[in-house]
């Protein structure tokens, strides 16, 4: 059960008439073909569907990383298309956590520094940044890797650093693209426990792309994308 504070802090997501294509004119590739759905504040949505269905594109649009061409996305009270570029960047660092499929870690920084960088963008003072980075690295089981650089870490360890970075600013909406794709079962469970704690304790809304039935089973809702459309029988169906 979510406490009322937690629910108040989580954000609901509304998507209306969302279409997306890459390229223009003759070269345009339609990817999302008209999506309408709502996500309840504080829920955990598993976003599923075959490769090429548009899952990563949808996450990029929800996170304000890809400009919306057609349709609307509301994150809580905020209409994404209504934000100017600078406002969007500020909004993203304050509200949204992103775990990319390809990690997006900076090679020259250690694991701890990668996490601390995200916190400095969020305006957290140095001492607090170090403490929080170490806490969150501990949560994902990487205490003894905090001083390592990405190329000194395995794929699974890099993935956990990317997750720690996304969680560090305590986002209201966490968007994760196959966050357990490179993890063994034990590390995957551990990461899912951390995500679940963020949801229950902080009311964070989670949208997690996954191919893994074990991961999807832990969601409260599922969205199934196929060829740029939601499979209607599965929209919002509780897990
Ligand atoms: N930046 C891009 N430019 C052109 N086409 C892209 C780009 N990103 C994705 N696509 C195409 O859009 C389609 C959906 O991709 P994506 O959203 O990554 O799907 P999924 O994450 O479900 O595998 C694919 O056909 C892909 O090739
Ligand atoms: Mg993808």
């Amino acid at each position: 059960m979510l406490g009322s504070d937690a629910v108040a802090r989580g954000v609901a997501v509304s998507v209306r008439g969302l279409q997306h294509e890459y390229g223009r004119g003759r070269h345009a590739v339609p990817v999302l073909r008209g999506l309408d759905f709502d996500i309840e504040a504080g829920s955990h949505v598993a976003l599923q569907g075959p490769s090429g269905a548009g899952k990563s594109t949808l996450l990029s649009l929800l996170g304000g990383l890809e400009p919306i061409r057609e349709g609307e996305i509301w994150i809580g009270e905020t209409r994404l298309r209504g934000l100017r570029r600078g406002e969007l960047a500020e909004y993203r660092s304050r509200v949204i956590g992103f775990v990319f499929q390809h990690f997006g870690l900076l090679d020259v920084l250690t694991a701890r520094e990668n996490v601390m960088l995200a916190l400095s963008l969020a305006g957290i003072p140095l001492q607090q940044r170090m403490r929080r980075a170490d806490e969150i690295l501990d949560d994902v089981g990487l205490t003894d890797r905090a001083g390592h650089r990405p190329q000194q870490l395995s794929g699974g360890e890099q993935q956990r650093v990317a997750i720690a970075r996304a969680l560090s600013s305590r986002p209201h909406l966490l968007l994760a693209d196959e966050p357990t794709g490179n993890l063994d079962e034990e590390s995957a469970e551990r990461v899912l426990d951390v995500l679940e704690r963020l949801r229950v304790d902080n009311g964070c809304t989670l949208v997690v792309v996954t191919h893994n039935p074990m991961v999807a089973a832990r969601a409260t809702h599922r969205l199934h994308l196929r060829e740029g459309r939601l499979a209607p029988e599965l929209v919002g169906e509780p897990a």
Side-chain angles (χ1 to χ4, degrees):
M1 259 299 265
L2 288 170
S4 55
D5 285 348
V7 173
R9 192 173 177 278
V11 290
V13 177
S14 284
V15 172
R16 293 291 175 270
L18 186 65
Q19 298 186 40
H20 199 73
E21 52 186 39
Y22 290 106
R24 300 266 176 201
R26 209 155 50 82
H27 300 289
V29 180
V31 175
L32 300 178
R33 299 163 186 264
L35 302 183
D36 293 275
F37 63 91
D38 295 313
I39 296 174
E40 279 172 46
S43 55
H44 172 177
V45 175
L47 178 56
Q48 298 184 276
S51 179
K55 303 180 298 297
S56 296
T57 301
L58 177 56
L59 277 203
S60 300
L61 289 161
L62 289 173
L65 296 172
E66 180 73 30
I68 299 168
R69 292 185 175 187
E70 186 69 47
E72 293 289 348
I73 298 176
W74 293 79
I75 310 284
E77 305 285 294
T78 304
R79 177 177 165 262
L80 286 191
R81 283 182 93 164
L83 298 178
R84 286 190 293 265
R85 197 198 269 262
E87 293 171 328
L88 187 61
E90 187 277 331
Y91 178 78
R92 258 200 319 258
S93 68
R94 193 165 43 81
V95 175
I96 295 175
F98 227 111
V99 181
F100 298 98
Q101 211 164 0
H102 302 293
F103 317 138
L105 300 175
L106 294 181
D107 287 340
V108 296
L109 301 182
T110 64
R112 180 188 288 115
E113 289 164 346
N114 265 285
V115 176
M116 286 175 66
L117 177 63
L119 292 169
S120 73
L121 296 176
I124 314 272
L126 179 68
Q127 288 301 320
Q128 217 175 318
R129 288 208 298 273
M130 285 180 73
R131 189 155 29 89
R132 213 191 280 177
D134 284 343
E135 275 169 18
I136 192 91
L137 286 168
D138 188 45
D139 280 345
V140 297
L142 286 178
T143 299
D144 55 352
R145 295 287 185 275
H148 288 55
R149 295 194 180 153
Q151 65 271 27
Q152 302 169 314
L153 299 171
S154 72
E157 287 167 344
Q158 290 180 43
Q159 193 159 33
R160 281 184 282 159
V161 177
I163 289 163
R165 181 186 55 186
L167 300 183
S168 64
S169 59
R170 303 200 180 114
H172 301 210
L173 173 64
L174 185 86
L175 305 168
D177 210 343
E178 303 197 41
T180 60
N182 293 295
L183 303 184
D184 59 58
E185 204 166 311
E186 190 187 329
S187 303
E189 287 285 355
R190 189 160 188 164
V191 160
L192 290 170
D193 289 343
V194 173
L195 295 183
E196 188 61 14
R197 218 168 337 122
L198 190 72
R199 184 176 82 81
V200 173
D201 295 350
N202 295 352
C204 180
T205 304
L206 309 175
V207 181
V208 179
V209 172
T210 186
H211 288 291
N212 182 335
M214 187 265 295
V215 177
R218 293 185 55 159
T220 59
H221 297 76
R222 292 180 203 174
L223 288 174
H224 199 96
L225 263 188
R226 181 174 290 276
E227 293 174 7
R229 293 195 174 82
L230 288 173
E233 73 277 16
L234 288 168
V235 176
E237 180 189 277

